Amino acid sequence: MQDYLMLSNGTGSSPAMERDELVITSSNTRATLSLLPSGLHTESNVCVLDFSDVVGVSRDGAKLSYFAYPRVVGIAASCCANGEEKRERVVTSFVCDSEATAKRWETSSWSLLQEEFVKTKGRHVRRFLVLLNPRSGKGLSEKIFQEHCAPMFRDAAVEYTLVKTEFSGHANKYCKETPDLAQKFDGIVIVSGDGLLFEVLQGVMTRPDWADVVKDVAFGIVPGGSGNGLAVTLAHASGEKRGPLSNTFLIAKGNVAPLDLCAVDHFGKGRLYSFLSLEFGFIADVDLGSDWMRSLGEVRFTLQVIRLLFSPSSTPCRLSYLPTPGNPKSPKTAPKTSNYWETDSPYTGPEGPRVSHLVPLSSPLPTSWESVTDRFFTMWPCNVAWMSSSSQVSPHSHWNDGYIQLLYYRKSKSRMARLNLLRFVLAIETGSHVKEDGSSTFGAFEMFPVRAFRIEPLKKTGTRLAVDGEEVEMGPLQMEVLPGIARLMGTSVD
Ligand code: ADP
Ligand code: MG
């Protein structure tokens, strides 16, 4: 094990971890530089290398090379239009007086760049399983991987095992059947749409050692699909431009946050696990009904909306939910929930995580639950903010707030379905269907945070049902959030 120096705290005011005279190769100047958590600084505290853009460092004898991806704007960047912002690779090198000094700087730099990881694992080299779906979206996943992920992973000292999925269900099988997944990998990175991450989750969560995997192996996603809700959510939350480069950069940087999953009980399929959303009615018909246009990318959703708005239909259903104490309108004001692993003796047995609010789907719900029976045009309970790169459906959702935003539109609230659905579809692009307090802007739509809900369709035909964009047979289904049970790479904020 390398001898990593540990920081007492990670702030810029910490004492320098290293201070030596180095040669800055670009200018061939010699300067006394200090290694601080924020980067490399001169004696007069000029920052010569900002660590917020750096993903890794390598050493060749006494020479150190740092790999940074700073933002560049228009003109300067060969790769984007004028005025547009993009991250571009910059290598900055320094020569130390000896190999021993360079080794010290290298080790100290990694313990700053991958602080949490180095602390827990005692190494800086991360091992990822990369699952790439060559058929997702416009079929660009392989190109995305070669162009963005492979070079940046090399810079960030990520070793990876690349698996290209050969059939639907391949990723599920791989994650379910590969022995010692938690010992072999520190992360599982999906290069595809949300559908492949859903598949991976089903594989992981049905392993007898699921608890070891979700505690030790963090999930990451690089958008290569036609629906990339989680990737867009993460890029947006970190103030990054949307696209595979941003998500790869965030993964390479190494911050890991807790991720809520939802336990889903479906009458036919049994237990499933979801990270994104449930779609019922109109919105499921948009998503699933446009699948044949997958090669068009996200434009398929717009085209399908136009088709469906001609004759919106509603489905009779009973919707029940566990009211959040105080009936808050927004997860911002909902009481904090405790993380699955912080509860008293969290269950880790082979049957998968235990829920605390759901009862078997065939049993009546406790009286503390509330129910609405109506005809529903749509339901779209969400766990994250963005469902695709043009739909910010649930702006107040957060991947580890412990809540699902229960969004629905029922007939008795308004009969102007075509108009309301059109207004809704237009508004989700900017999230303007949701007020600052988290409630719905349009009277017809209702939206509030819950920990658990159940749907019981009173008619099984005429519309569709999907979990994380994957179709399941229409019928009774219930969901409960498992707060922070998994770990997520690719965030700059928790
Ligand atoms: P998209 O956003 O384009 O739908 P997804 O990642 O959601 O992309 O993947 C869509 C589906 O493709 C998933 O349900 C997955 O099971 C399936 N799949 C994965 N690999 C293959 C393959 N090689 N051929 C066909 N389907 C595949
Ligand atoms: Mg949530």
Side-chain angles (χ1 to χ4, degrees), residues 445-467:
F445 285 82
E446 291 159 81
M447 189 175 199
F448 49 92
V450 297
R451 292 284 311 277
F453 68 91
R454 176 187 282 186
I455 58 171
E456 294 161 284
L458 306 174
K459 188 177 140 213
K460 279 196 159 193
T461 52
T463 191
R464 299 167 89 169
L465 185 61
V467 179

Side-chain angles (χ1 to χ4, degrees), residues 223-257:
S226 54
N228 303 299
L230 182 59
V232 174
T233 299
L234 296 176
H236 189 257
S238 294
E240 296 288 330
K241 197 178 152 183
R242 287 164 211 176
L245 178 71
S246 297
N247 293 96
T248 309
F249 172 76
L250 290 166
I251 290 170
K253 281 298 291 170
N255 191 49
V256 175

Side-chain angles (χ1 to χ4, degrees), residues 133 135-137 165-169 192-196 199 225-227 294 470:
N133 176 0
R135 303 284 293 275
S136 58
T165 58
E166 287 162 20
F167 51 90
S168 177
S192 188
D194 295 314
L196 202 69
E199 228 194 68
S226 54
R294 164 181 307 269
E470 302 298 309

Side-chain angles (χ1 to χ4, degrees), residues 247-296:
N247 293 96
T248 309
F249 172 76
L250 290 166
I251 290 170
K253 281 298 291 170
N255 191 49
V256 175
L259 170 68
D260 295 345
L261 298 181
C262 296
V264 183
D265 292 332
H266 179 261
F267 78 101
K269 284 194 172 280
R271 175 60 61 83
L272 298 170
Y273 294 91
S274 151
F275 66 95
L276 190 70
S277 71
L278 179 93
E279 295 161 285
F280 173 98
F282 176 79
I283 208 64
D285 296 336
V286 169
D287 192 0
L288 303 170
S290 64
D291 199 59
W292 61 279
M293 295 184 273
R294 164 181 307 269
S295 60
L296 298 180

Side-chain angles (χ1 to χ4, degrees), residues 359-375:
V359 293
L361 205 45
S362 53
S363 304
L365 288 165
T367 51
S368 53
W369 286 53
E370 288 176 14
S371 285
V372 190
T373 304
D374 208 326
R375 293 189 72 91

